[in-house]
Amino acid sequence: GCHQAILFLTDGEMTDNETTFFDLIDRKRNGYSDSGREPPVMFTYSFGSTAASKAEVPKRIACEYGGVWASIEDGGNLAESMGAYYKYFAQGLGSSGIDSVSWTE
């Protein structure tokens, strides 16, 4: 089947109610499940020199919804960090089947 991903970007500042925010994510993901589709994996990225110290929410999103969290410092390699999410699927981590194929160089 088709694998989908959501890339969630943040500076680490939580300006919304955390419970309301996670309820929204759950409702959206349940919409996929209710229609017989696999919900997207959520990859989270914290930007900036202070974002890693405020990473509780993005780490929780990645953990609870099957993704990966990354911190990207000011001046960091944005393309490399954000473009690496495809490796998750390529290595079979996003597959629930046992017939996964992995190719690396």
Side-chain angles (χ1 to χ4, degrees):
C2 180
H3 293 284
Q4 298 180 13
I6 293 174
L7 307 182
F8 179 85
L9 317 172
T10 183
D11 63 359
E13 289 293 328
M14 185 64 171
T15 57
D16 294 316
N17 177 280
E18 194 170 316
T19 301
T20 303
F21 178 70
F22 278 94
D23 286 347
L24 172 66
I25 294 172
D26 288 336
R27 281 196 314 275
K28 295 295 185 182
R29 288 178 57 83
N30 288 340
Y32 282 88
S33 298
D34 293 345
S35 65
R37 297 179 295 161
E38 188 70 29
V41 174
M42 296 186 70
F43 297 91
T44 60
Y45 301 89
S46 298
F47 291 102
S49 58
T50 62
S53 65
K54 305 173 192 172
E56 182 179 322
V57 170
K59 284 180 178 180
R60 181 177 163 200
I61 293 169
C63 185
E64 287 189 19
Y65 303 111
V68 177
W69 169 79
S71 177
I72 302 172
E73 296 289 327
D74 290 330
N77 190 331
L78 184 63
E80 182 179 320
S81 295
M82 292 190 66
Y85 74 90
Y86 76 91
K87 293 177 185 176
Y88 178 91
F89 296 113
Q91 293 178 351
L93 296 174
S95 174
S96 59
I98 59 170
D99 295 340
S100 297
V101 175
S102 179
W103 174 53
T104 60
E105 288 185 354

